[in-house]
Amino acid sequence: MLHGVKFLCSAAAALARLAHAILGRASGWWALLFMQLCPGPTSAATTTATAVPAPWQHLQPGRAAASSKKVHPAALAVDEKPAGCAKDQMPAPAVVLPAFNKQQGDKTAKAARGRPPRLAIPPPVACAPGVDPFGPAADRETDVATELEVQGEGFCLASRRGVRHAMEDGYGVIADHITQGGSRVAFYGVYDGHGGRAAVDFVADKLGKNVVAALAAAASTTASHRQQSGLLPSSSPPPPTGEEEEDETEQVVAAIRAAYLTTDSAFLSQGVRGGACAATALVKDGDLYVANVGDCRAVLGSRGGVATALTSDHTAGREDERRRIESSGGYVSCGSGGVWRVQDCLAVSRAFGDASMKPWVTCEPEVSRRRLTPDCRFLVVASDGLWNKVSCQEAVDAVSAAASSSSAAVGPCKELVALARSRGSRDDITVMVVDLQRFLQL
């Protein structure tokens, strides 16, 4: 029985040496375990197993006297012979790794498992040299007035900032302008920006000028056609026929569309983010041309108190807009709040800017024409901060009541702003009321 135990222990020691040779330092723990449990071969006179000295007892003969001094196991050489061991009793060489190495490795592994993934930082927006990608007006947003009241020539305006973000509404007016062909025109616009003030400031500054320039180009083309027809520039043209009047209307509509697209292209060329909705009104030779992109709206107030919406909001929920977007490769979706969005992002389907949403969000405006009559009293042009809480008829009724009871010039606009705020509107609100009676004599 004793010889069998000795044989098994010798075999275990031999396996430990082999494991150490194959696995290196990692096998030292197993070799130590086997050598502590199993003794090596002894002389025939020995009747009990001899315990293998612990690794920290492997001292050189010269250090035996100083055995009371503690020596780290890693400082021992693997080829040193323990004191009191015969040549054939040499235990397998073993290297004991310090315990703190394993603990440090465990901590490193845990830290690696708990480390969050790398942040994917998008590349910077490509902009023209010297252009701020966050908009040239980004540093001026805090300077925009919370409340604004304007009394101009033939119009009044009131604007109030919302409670959730910086003021992003704007407006533009060209009150009285004489074109190259001798026509007197007036231009009014209300703009609602999103993603900053860059787009709304740009459109408010450029759109009206581009409309006037496009009209001048159209008038120049008409004058050249008249000269080719044998009419002198100073001669009075005959009253236009129905066909000629239709051609002139088409020219004006084409000029407005060209001005919208030119303004949008110029803004996109700057590489600035954001966008803007718009509703504009052009009065020329007694005709009213109304255009819009997005959810700004223009409503006509008649003498009988009837409200007539002259624009239709461009939203992703409109059936024709959905078909247009899908035919160009995009899609619309309805979120949990019941709001339809283009590409799960934008609630309006037409706007200036929004470069990342092209071509699904276009700036092609819808333009309508109406001949002004004595029944046409005023025009209400406002951002969606008003129309989300006030209907078209309520707006006309409020303006009619305020115009008759208030002595303040901007009273009707202030009444509408206050009405929308009282109903919980948290958005920016801009309301412009244009007097149409003054254009009847033109």
Side-chain angles (χ1 to χ4, degrees):
M1 181 67 180
L2 179 59
H3 291 289
V5 173
K6 291 179 179 180
F7 175 76
L8 292 176
C9 292
S10 299
L15 290 175
R17 294 188 188 95
L18 180 61
H20 174 74
I22 297 176
L23 302 178
R25 293 186 176 183
S27 64
W29 293 101
W30 294 103
L32 176 62
L33 177 61
F34 281 117
M35 288 187 293
Q36 288 180 345
L37 294 178
C38 302
T42 58
S43 63
T46 305
T47 57
T48 59
T50 302
V52 177
W56 51 84
Q57 295 175 344
H58 294 187
L59 301 177
Q60 296 179 357
R63 298 180 184 177
S67 59
S68 60
K69 182 179 179 180
K70 296 183 179 179
V71 180
H72 197 278
L76 300 177
V78 297
D79 59 349
E80 292 179 349
K81 177 183 176 181
C85 292
K87 183 177 181 180
D88 57 350
Q89 291 178 326
M90 178 69 70
V95 177
V96 181
L97 297 178
F100 68 88
N101 284 347
K102 182 176 183 302
Q103 295 175 357
Q104 185 177 7
D106 293 342
K107 292 181 180 179
T108 304
K110 291 181 180 179
R113 288 195 300 268
R115 184 180 299 132
R118 290 180 177 269
L119 293 177
I121 302 176
V125 180
C127 299
V131 176
D132 180 7
F134 296 98
D139 297 334
R140 305 197 307 270
E141 288 187 355
T142 55
D143 298 336
V144 178
T146 302
E147 296 187 20
L148 180 65
E149 297 179 7
V150 178
Q151 173 60 45
E153 185 179 353
F155 78 98
C156 63
L157 178 138
S159 181
R160 179 175 293 184
R161 172 180 168 179
V163 299
R164 294 179 298 179
H165 50 71
M167 181 63 171
E168 294 180 342
D169 279 4
Y171 76 99
V173 173
I174 299 177
D176 193 2
H177 179 81
I178 299 178
T179 65
Q180 183 178 357
S183 299
R184 300 180 62 183
V185 299
F187 178 86
Y188 306 92
V190 170
Y191 313 109
D192 183 4
H194 48 266
R197 286 198 57 88
V200 73
D201 286 343
F202 187 90
V203 174
D205 179 53
K206 301 295 185 181
L207 183 57
K209 299 175 183 177
N210 289 339
V211 169
V212 171
L215 289 175
S220 177
T221 301
T222 302
S224 63
H225 288 168
R226 290 182 57 200
Q227 291 178 357
Q228 294 176 1
S229 301
L231 294 176
L232 297 177
S234 58
S235 61
S236 300
T241 62
E243 184 177 353
E244 292 176 345
E245 185 176 356
E246 184 177 354
D247 291 342
E248 182 180 357
T249 299
E250 291 180 355
Q251 288 181 356
V252 176
V253 171
I256 295 174
R257 287 176 175 165
Y260 268 70
L261 296 176
T262 299
T263 305
D264 184 52
S265 178
F267 176 73
L268 292 175
S269 65
Q270 295 190 353
V272 182
R273 69 173 187 176
C277 302
T280 61
L282 173 70
V283 182
K284 179 180 181 295
D285 298 331
D287 290 331
L288 174 64
Y289 297 87
V290 175
N292 76 303
V293 289
D295 52 9
C296 291
R297 193 181 305 173
V299 177
L300 175 67
S302 301
R303 188 176 298 275
V306 178
T308 304
L310 302 182
T311 60
S312 179
D313 297 347
H314 296 128
T315 62
R318 271 179 53 171
E319 183 65 21
D320 56 342
E321 289 294 281
R322 181 184 64 82
R323 290 195 301 268
R324 178 185 61 80
I325 294 169
E326 292 177 347
S327 64
S328 60
Y331 68 92
V332 298
S333 60
C334 185
S336 57
V339 179
W340 289 85
R341 297 184 182 275
V342 182
Q343 306 293 109
D344 294 328
C345 181
L346 197 61
V348 294
S349 56
R350 301 194 189 192
F352 290 94
D354 295 313
S356 62
M357 304 296 292
K358 302 296 183 186
W360 312 295
V361 177
T362 180
C363 193
E364 179 78 22
E366 287 186 314
V367 186
S368 63
R369 169 190 173 272
R370 175 181 290 266
R371 185 68 182 179
L372 293 179
T373 65
D375 288 336
C376 300
R377 295 185 57 194
F378 57 84
L379 185 70
V380 181
V381 188
S383 61
D384 67 327
L386 173 73
W387 305 119
N388 287 340
K389 299 297 181 180
V390 179
S391 67
C392 298
Q393 188 60 55
E394 288 176 329
V396 170
D397 294 342
V399 171
S400 300
S404 59
S405 61
S406 177
S407 58
V410 296
C413 298
K414 294 178 62 177
E415 288 292 332
L416 286 178
V417 171
L419 179 60
R421 289 296 297 270
S422 67
R423 294 183 177 181
S425 177
R426 300 171 61 86
D427 199 358
D428 303 330
I429 307 172
T430 299
V431 180
M432 179 187 294
V433 177
V434 181
D435 180 18
L436 298 178
Q437 295 290 304
R438 62 188 296 268
F439 297 107
L440 295 178
Q441 69 271 16
L442 297 181

